[in-house]
């Protein structure tokens, strides 16, 4: 039998553990503000800070439960899809997708069947589905409510040369200079009274769907200023340094060009199709990693097609060092005559399997390798080839802090990899820095914010009247039944 004193101590210890574990659960993210921040999939983070990636065990996922519910205006249950992503380090991403306007909305979080401190989170509503065309009347206020930062260095640098732009004259010069239908395709967009119009030039304009979709999504969220812009639909930037300064928006920049850089179509699509038809996005990568760092194989992995000669050289290096690399080409197009030498080509593997290895090699394709954001998010150490190409976020990264730099000719790749293997603690820290950077700068909210701020700042520079030309095609919003401003129902509540 325990004495009374021992019983009291046991009770106090139990209460202290319970109280501490409640306090040590951090909950944050835009999905906790669903009335103001509308996205295809809303998301937030739940971090059990008393667990880390070394003390993590799979039973944590079974102890953590999520329930999200709401009602329609008629009182029926809202259609909501909830997805819990286990980051295997004591933290989770909870994302949810709603398919209709919801009221009486609640987010319930449980640990060991007990409500986590602060839960449930209750919202009166309306909570809008992303397809709802319910724009905020003031664009600048919407930026603040969406928790967008005030500026990006890359945007400032890209736009600093443009002042008081006459887009009529600039468009004419762009059409004259880049009239190469077989090799160059682009679209002229006009947003007028929050409606989207475009005219496309070139033979291969199918990628206009990516530009269409981000503009449609943004104009559903806020009333855009009238603006016009030209979006390059190819991978290669167009405006060479030293040539006439023309405002062309591109998905990739380079040291030799002056294009205005947007987030790539790849990360934009993964943002717009989150919990949709794509499976690879910044959030799912973090939830798809199966092994903690210390259980991963100490090799560098790479898969890809033959779009650059350095990729062939990587195969040579890997063959000389099979103990250090797992490398294969998955397709031959640019160097078909060398397939016998560098093949046979191997089937694709799941991107998530890249993170069964501690190290990932990032080599340019035709331009920057658009997989880079996902490699950063996966918690591996990225060995990044030096490159003249860049995406919208590269200026925020620092070598030896977020990645390990490798010379363009890969001549120091083996040395860099051997350094990582002999400095495991440092390599692990760089990998964690990269994952943190991706979470804080490349998640869906940030992709929306970057586009919005870029187009907002651009609109301020246009001094010519924004008009709709006769040959322009209207890009309509999808038809969707929403309760944008149901004042009567709010009063009845």
């Amino acid at each position: 039998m325990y004495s009374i004193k021992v019983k009291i101590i046991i009770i106090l210890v139990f209460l202290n553990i319970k109280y501490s574990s409640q306090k040590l659960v951090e909950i944050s993210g835009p999905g906790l503000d669903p009335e103001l921040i509308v996205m295809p999939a809303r998301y937030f983070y739940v971090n059990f800070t008393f667990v880390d990636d070394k003390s993590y065990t799979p039973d944590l996922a079974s102890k953590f439960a999520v329930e999200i519910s709401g009602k329609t205006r008629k009182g029926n249950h809202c259609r909501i899809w909830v997805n819990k992503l286990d980051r295997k380090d004591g933290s989770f991403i909870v994302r949810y997708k709603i398919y209709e306007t919801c009221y009486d909305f609640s987010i319930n979080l449980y640990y060991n069947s007990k409500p986590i401190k602060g839960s449930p989170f209750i919202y009166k509503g309306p909570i809008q589905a992303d397809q709802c065309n319910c724009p905020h009347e003031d664009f600048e206020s919407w930026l603040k409510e969406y928790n967008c930062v005030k500026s990006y260095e890359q945007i400032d640098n890209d736009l600093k040369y443009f002042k008081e732009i006459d887009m009529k004259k600039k468009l004419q010069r762009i059409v004259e200079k880049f009239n190469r239908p077989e090799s160059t395709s682009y679209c002229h967009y006009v947003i007028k009274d929050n409606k989207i119009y475009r005219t496309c030039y070139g033979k291969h304009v199918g990628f206009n769907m990516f530009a269409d979709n981000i503009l449609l999504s943004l104009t559903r969220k806020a009333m855009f200023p009238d603006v016009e812009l030209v979006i390059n639909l190819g991978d290669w930037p167009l405006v060479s340094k030293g040539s006439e300064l023309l405002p062309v928006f591109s998905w990739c920049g380079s040291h030799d060009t002056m294009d205005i850089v947007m987030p790539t179509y790849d990360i934009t699509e993964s943002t717009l199709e989150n919990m949709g038809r794509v499976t690879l996005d910044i959030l799912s990568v973090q939830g798809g990693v199966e092994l903690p760092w210390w259980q991963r194989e100490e090799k560098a992995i790479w898969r890809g097609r033959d779009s650059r000669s350095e990729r062939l050289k990587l195969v040579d290096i890997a063959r000389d060092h099979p103990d250090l690399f797992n490398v294969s080409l998955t397709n031959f197009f640019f160097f078909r005559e060398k397939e016998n030498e560098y093949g046979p080509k191997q089937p694709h593997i799941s991107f998530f399997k890249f993170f069964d290895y501690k190290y990932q090699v990032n080599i340019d394709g035709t331009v920057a390798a658009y997989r880079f954001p996902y490699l950063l998010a996966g918690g591996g150490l990225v060995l990044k080839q030096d490159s003249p190409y860049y995406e919208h976020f590269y200026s925020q990264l620092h070598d030896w802090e977020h990645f390990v730099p490798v010379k363009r000719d890969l001549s120091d790749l083996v040395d860099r990899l051997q350094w990582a293997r002999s400095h495991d603690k440092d390599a692990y820290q760089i990998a964690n820095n990269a994952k943190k950077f991706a979470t804080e700068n490349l998640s869906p909210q940030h992709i929306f914010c970057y586009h919005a701020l870029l187009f907002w700042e651009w609109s301020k520079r246009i001094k010519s009247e924004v008009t709709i030309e006769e040959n322009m095609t209207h890009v309509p919003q999808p038809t969707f039944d929403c309760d944008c401003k149901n004042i009567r129902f709010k009063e009845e509540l």
Side-chain angles (χ1 to χ4, degrees):
M1 295 290 293
Y2 292 121
S3 68
I4 293 177
K5 183 177 180 180
V6 171
K7 287 181 179 178
I8 291 173
I9 291 173
I10 291 173
I11 292 170
L12 288 174
V13 169
F14 171 77
L15 291 175
N16 185 56
I17 291 172
K18 181 181 178 183
Y19 177 70
S20 297
S21 63
Q22 293 279 20
K23 275 190 74 175
L24 295 175
V25 180
E26 296 177 350
I27 308 166
S28 62
L32 297 175
D33 202 1
E35 292 171 313
L36 298 179
I37 299 180
V38 180
M39 285 186 280
R42 292 161 165 95
Y43 62 94
F44 59 91
Y45 304 93
V46 180
N47 183 17
F48 295 88
T49 59
F50 52 92
V51 178
D52 59 24
D53 54 355
K54 291 185 177 179
S55 60
Y56 168 83
T57 55
D59 66 334
L60 179 63
S62 64
K63 294 177 180 178
F64 171 51
V66 183
E67 292 178 357
I68 300 178
S69 62
K71 293 183 178 180
T72 67
R73 184 164 60 90
K74 296 181 179 180
N76 299 321
H77 289 293
C78 268
R79 290 176 295 148
I80 305 170
W81 177 21
V82 182
N83 181 213
K84 183 178 72 175
L85 299 171
D86 184 357
R87 298 206 284 185
K88 315 291 192 305
D89 61 359
S91 67
F92 296 82
I93 301 171
V94 177
R95 57 181 179 175
Y96 59 96
K97 189 177 184 71
I98 68 173
Y99 296 90
E100 54 198 326
T101 304
C102 297
Y103 299 86
D104 294 338
F105 196 78
S106 66
I107 298 174
N108 294 269
L109 307 176
Y110 305 93
Y111 178 67
N112 269 342
S113 301
K114 306 279 183 160
I116 290 175
K117 189 175 182 181
S119 171
F121 300 90
I122 304 295
Y123 311 89
K124 185 177 180 181
I127 311 296
Q128 304 291 6
D130 188 67
Q131 299 94 324
C132 286
N133 187 14
C134 304
H136 192 296
E137 293 182 359
D138 183 88
F139 188 81
E140 195 166 10
S141 296
W142 172 80
L143 286 172
K144 294 178 182 177
E145 291 182 358
Y146 216 80
N147 290 328
C148 294
V149 299
K150 292 184 178 181
S151 65
Y152 289 93
E153 180 183 350
Q154 187 65 53
I155 292 177
D156 294 341
N157 288 336
D158 284 348
L159 299 185
K160 66 184 178 183
Y161 301 106
F162 296 98
K163 294 178 173 51
E164 298 188 352
I165 298 298
D166 184 334
M167 273 302 295
K168 305 305 178 191
K169 294 181 179 179
K170 293 296 184 182
L171 175 64
Q172 182 179 351
R173 289 294 299 130
I174 289 170
V175 173
E176 290 172 357
K177 185 166 185 177
F178 299 113
N179 184 23
R180 302 191 295 266
E182 292 295 328
S183 60
T184 304
S185 299
Y186 53 93
C187 291
H188 171 220
Y189 282 90
V190 165
I191 300 178
K192 181 77 172 179
D193 298 326
N194 218 43
K195 294 182 180 179
I196 301 167
Y197 305 85
R198 61 164 156 75
T199 302
C200 293
Y201 301 83
K203 188 174 180 180
H204 308 285
V205 296
F207 273 32
N208 63 18
M209 66 177 181
F210 300 114
D212 288 357
N213 289 339
I214 187 60
L215 292 174
L216 287 169
S217 183
L218 288 170
T219 51
R220 288 196 298 270
K221 294 171 175 55
M223 291 294 295
F224 248 71
D226 289 352
V227 66
E228 59 182 312
L229 64 158
V230 173
I231 296 180
N232 172 23
L233 302 180
D235 281 328
W236 285 278
L238 297 177
V239 185
S240 299
K241 282 187 177 178
S243 66
E244 180 181 0
L245 187 61
L246 295 172
V248 175
F249 288 72
S250 291
W251 290 308
C252 181
S254 79
H255 299 330
D256 300 322
T257 54
M258 299 279 289
D259 295 47
I260 302 166
V261 180
M262 312 184 301
T264 67
Y265 65 83
D266 189 278
I267 198 169
T268 299
E269 182 189 29
S270 74
T271 294
L272 294 172
E273 293 295 334
N274 211 286
M275 292 183 75
R277 61 185 178 83
V278 302
T279 57
L280 182 64
D281 60 82
I282 293 296
L283 304 181
S284 66
V285 167
Q286 296 177 58
V289 173
E290 296 181 358
L291 300 177
W293 174 269
W294 64 90
Q295 291 182 8
R296 301 183 189 186
E297 192 169 349
E298 289 192 323
K299 284 187 176 183
I301 188 170
W302 181 87
R303 293 289 188 277
R305 61 176 184 159
D306 64 333
S307 49
R308 185 166 293 276
S309 61
E310 295 93 58
R311 295 185 170 197
L312 302 184
K313 184 172 182 179
L314 177 61
V315 174
D316 288 330
I317 293 171
R319 287 174 175 175
D320 290 339
H321 300 275
D323 57 321
L324 298 179
F325 294 91
N326 180 340
V327 167
S328 294
L329 288 161
T330 56
N331 200 10
F332 286 86
F333 179 80
F334 295 89
F335 298 94
R336 286 175 177 167
E337 74 282 1
K338 295 189 176 184
E339 183 170 356
N340 287 337
E341 182 180 355
Y342 288 95
K345 63 184 179 183
Q346 297 297 316
H348 292 273
I349 62 173
S350 166
F351 190 83
F352 303 129
K353 299 303 289 183
F354 281 30
F355 304 102
D356 287 353
Y357 300 82
K358 285 187 175 181
Y359 320 111
Q360 289 80 43
V361 182
N362 188 74
I363 299 182
D364 284 350
T366 51
V367 287
Y370 292 171
R371 71 181 70 179
F372 189 34
Y374 312 113
L375 293 179
L376 294 172
L381 178 71
V382 181
L383 300 156
K384 184 189 179 303
Q385 178 193 31
D386 183 43
S387 171
Y389 298 106
Y390 57 85
E391 299 176 57
H392 76 279
F393 62 91
Y394 280 26
S395 62
Q396 298 171 259
L397 295 171
H398 303 287
D399 55 10
W400 297 106
E401 180 181 349
H402 301 108
F403 62 92
V404 171
V406 174
K407 290 180 180 179
R408 187 145 186 82
D409 65 1
L410 309 185
S411 59
D412 61 349
L413 176 59
V414 172
D415 289 341
R416 296 299 199 213
L417 182 52
Q418 288 175 335
W419 173 88
R421 290 179 60 154
S422 61
H423 294 77
D424 190 66
K425 185 176 180 180
D426 294 325
Y428 174 64
Q429 184 60 56
I430 294 171
N432 269 346
N433 292 343
K435 181 178 177 181
K436 185 173 185 289
F437 175 88
T439 298
E440 295 179 351
N441 296 277
L442 300 175
S443 295
Q445 180 186 17
H446 311 119
I447 302 304
F448 279 117
C449 284
Y450 196 96
H451 279 104
L453 278 164
L454 176 60
F455 299 146
W456 166 251
E457 290 299 329
W458 175 244
S459 72
K460 298 175 185 178
R461 288 158 169 78
I462 298 176
K463 300 307 177 185
S464 53
E465 183 181 0
V466 177
T467 57
I468 305 165
E469 298 176 359
E470 290 185 4
N471 63 338
M472 302 196 91
T473 300
H474 176 227
V475 184
Q477 292 285 358
T479 302
F480 198 83
D481 184 23
C482 293
D483 300 330
C484 288
K485 293 183 179 178
N486 199 315
I487 299 174
R488 176 182 298 176
F489 178 63
K490 282 189 173 184
E491 291 175 347
E492 290 174 355
L493 288 177

